[in-house]
Amino acid sequence: MKTITNALSLVCVGLLASTTVLAADVAPNDVKFDGLSVNESLTGAAGDPDSGRKIFSNRKQGNCLACHANSDMNDQLFHGEVGPSLDGVAGRWQEPQLRTILVNAKAVFTEQTVMPGFYTLEVGADVREDLIGKTILSAQQVEDLVAYLMTLK
Amino acid sequence: MKKHVQQLGVAIGVIGLSFASTSIVAEPVDDKLIIDDEIEMISRAKAPEGHPLPEVISGWHYRTPETRAIETDTFQNPGMLGVEQGEEIWNTVEGSEGKSCASCHDDAATSMKGVGAAYPKWDEDSSKPINIEGRINKCRVENMGAEAYKFDKGGQKPLTAYIKHQSLGMPVELDLSQGEMQSWWDQGKETYYKRTGQLNLSCASCHEQNNGKYIRADHLSQGNVNGFPTYRLKQNKLISLHNRFRGCIRDTRAEFPAAFSDTLMGLEVYTTWRGTGLSVETPAVRQ
């Protein structure tokens, strides 16, 4: 019995980490935009590009591959074409701008963009009840992705 | 330098985007949908006035050659089993009045020809639009003394498929001048463009702005409804229209409305209109 509850609370901690804001993180509503840039890391630290690479293709996380082709992932069968290919994206944008694109794509593109905002509470209507007040990705996941995108030269 | 250019590009994008996103479209397959070498289907039609796209295109054109081939042959089309099941139900006596559908409507090939191509219709009694599923339930309750089918249960899907199949090949055409159909169309249009869920997407984000493109493994179509109930190979069964609506809304990570709710009835009226001129394909085959 005890092991079950322990296991459960472990699972819960894992879930919480990905959805709620950790104390050190910049909260979604406190992210500072400087024009097209978000200059400071949302976690105060650099992200992990290897983790970012996984988040990129994971359907339950970034699922970036749904809309973007990426030659670095030619091992994956299906690449979407709703957005541009991200090959060489680090040569087109600087790190602070990539962070902005990930936090809230609307801040860089137009209100009409179909790219979701991954660290914003500016979302659509009728959000699924268990997701209200939550962002798609955590601050850490966004930083990991930023670090990964910076490797796509 | 490159970065400056890109930023300029973004600024221009504000104006250019809506143009860009509809013009860079991978072509849906150029092919003719002919069923059993006999019935030539209208699978591309000039859009009705006020439609945002120039041409309405059946979802058939966006599917793989294998999936497309199955629909051209009624013996291969697994959705036809549902249609046959619907025919059996049509002729089965149920309810306190001791009647079947056939008792009053005789041969569906005659009495139901064209009916499915013109639904939803205005229903005076409820002062709302009514779809085929609703009309079946109305006859069951009022004319047969039987219970209404619950959503997707009992004979609802096969009987709807059977009735719609009687209009195979006939072009979809709604009469929006009936009752208050127009205001339900308006409401449906609002739903169509409303961005929902954590992913913040509307029907138009996928089916209007991006049809013709791949979203991961799925080739996005215009989201037309002329083939419903459709047979989905992935799920191995007939899928009703309101089930599809709910699935697409759920995928934006939103709460989804109840089947046959006012919201989804408005959406059915509006999306049916968007496919005006396309042949009824029921039971269409999709991935």
Side-chain angles (χ1 to χ4, degrees):
Chain A
M1 189 58 211
K2 237 203 184 129
T3 39
I4 292 176
T5 26
N6 276 344
L8 254 177
S9 58
L10 254 181
V11 169
C12 288
V13 170
L15 274 177
L16 279 175
S18 70
T19 49
T20 61
V21 179
L22 297 177
D25 295 344
V26 179
N29 286 338
D30 297 337
V31 176
K32 281 197 196 65
F33 295 89
D34 175 10
L36 296 182
S37 300
V38 172
N39 291 311
E40 274 158 46
S41 161
L42 303 172
T43 60
D48 168 8
D50 293 335
S51 154
R53 190 173 189 276
K54 293 192 188 103
I55 296 163
F56 191 97
S57 63
N58 187 317
R59 285 166 203 269
K60 298 232 154 83
Q61 296 177 349
N63 198 16
C64 315
L65 211 50
C67 293
H68 294 286
N70 176 2
S71 306
D72 181 44
M73 299 201 166
N74 277 344
D75 54 321
Q76 300 264 347
L77 215 46
F78 301 108
H79 295 209
E81 27 178 55
V82 171
S85 159
L86 294 185
D87 289 356
V89 73
R92 295 193 291 276
W93 300 92
Q94 291 162 342
E95 186 195 275
Q97 302 167 332
L98 287 174
R99 187 175 289 113
T100 315
I101 293 175
L102 286 179
V103 166
N104 188 0
K106 289 188 175 59
V108 175
F109 308 118
T110 68
E111 277 297 314
Q112 310 313 317
T113 186
V114 298
M115 175 156 162
F118 287 91
Y119 196 68
T120 176
L121 298 177
E122 239 181 78
V123 289
D126 314 327
V127 170
R128 212 172 77 202
E129 249 167 56
D130 59 315
L131 297 175
I132 291 174
K134 294 182 179 153
T135 54
I136 302 173
L137 296 176
S138 68
Q140 183 66 54
Q141 288 171 322
V142 170
E143 290 306 326
D144 291 352
L145 275 168
V146 170
Y148 171 63
L149 292 179
M150 287 306 290
T151 69
L152 302 178
K153 296 236 158 76
Chain B
M1 186 58 211
K2 202 131 184 245
K3 269 164 201 149
H4 289 280
V5 173
Q6 178 64 28
Q7 291 197 357
L8 233 176
V10 169
I12 293 168
V14 177
I15 311 152
L17 195 77
S18 54
F19 160 72
S21 54
T22 44
S23 66
I24 313 169
V25 165
E27 279 297 299
V29 172
D30 191 13
D31 195 356
K32 274 214 149 56
L33 174 53
I34 302 170
I35 295 189
D36 295 342
D37 296 320
E38 234 173 72
I39 308 173
E40 270 207 45
M41 309 287 276
I42 307 164
S43 58
R44 309 179 80 123
K46 189 175 174 303
E49 212 185 303
H51 197 295
L53 303 169
E55 189 186 22
V56 293
I57 305 174
S58 160
W60 181 79
H61 283 278
Y62 298 81
R63 307 278 57 93
T64 62
E66 296 77 26
T67 304
R68 289 204 309 280
I70 298 173
E71 192 178 325
T72 62
D73 182 345
T74 47
F75 281 106
Q76 270 195 62
N77 182 344
M80 287 305 292
L81 291 174
V83 169
E84 281 162 28
Q85 212 187 322
E87 181 174 15
E88 261 169 49
I89 300 169
W90 181 265
N91 292 305
T92 304
V93 171
E94 258 191 90
S96 57
E97 303 300 306
K99 291 197 157 75
S100 70
C101 311
S103 315
C104 296
H105 296 293
D106 298 319
D107 185 2
T110 315
S111 66
M112 293 294 137
K113 194 176 166 73
V115 170
Y119 265 70
K121 269 189 186 168
W122 186 248
D123 179 45
E124 287 294 346
D125 296 337
S126 62
S127 283
K128 286 181 182 189
I130 189 168
N131 57 10
I132 293 292
E133 289 89 334
R135 185 63 239 200
I136 291 171
N137 274 348
K138 191 170 170 175
C139 276
R140 282 179 60 85
V141 172
E142 293 176 7
N143 294 323
M144 295 166 70
E147 272 186 43
Y149 289 133
K150 294 201 172 72
F151 173 53
D152 273 357
K153 294 275 159 51
Q156 187 169 78
K157 281 191 287 178
L159 201 44
T160 302
Y162 178 61
I163 292 171
K164 288 226 172 143
H165 183 69
Q166 307 310 318
S167 302
L168 187 72
M170 298 174 72
V172 170
E173 169 111 58
L174 290 187
D175 181 358
L176 293 173
S177 70
Q178 297 174 344
E180 290 158 39
M181 286 292 276
Q182 186 59 48
S183 76
W184 286 76
W185 182 97
D186 292 340
Q187 177 226 303
K189 181 177 179 186
E190 236 167 76
T191 306
Y192 194 87
Y193 288 98
K194 179 166 125 181
R195 297 179 73 143
T196 57
Q198 199 185 34
L199 298 185
N200 208 354
L201 298 168
S202 70
C203 314
S205 309
C206 287
H207 295 299
E208 182 174 311
Q209 280 181 266
N210 285 298
N211 77 77
K213 295 188 187 162
Y214 277 86
I215 189 160
R216 208 123 188 193
D218 287 319
H219 196 198
L220 284 169
S221 74
Q222 295 181 351
N224 282 317
V225 305
N226 56 309
F228 280 87
T230 57
Y231 190 87
R232 283 197 76 184
L233 300 168
K234 236 189 236 171
Q235 286 161 284
N236 267 315
K237 60 178 182 185
L238 283 177
I239 298 297
S240 67
L241 179 57
H242 286 235
N243 183 341
R244 180 85 236 191
F245 282 163
R246 284 155 56 99
C248 277
I249 297 171
R250 183 198 57 217
D251 288 349
T252 69
R253 303 194 183 168
E255 294 291 331
F256 43 84
F260 312 135
S261 58
D262 287 359
T263 303
L264 293 192
M265 285 306 301
L267 193 58
E268 180 170 350
V269 169
Y270 180 70
T271 52
T272 304
W273 170 82
R274 281 181 77 110
T276 298
L278 293 177
S279 289
V280 173
E281 278 177 41
T282 311
V285 180
R286 300 290 185 258
Q287 85 288 17

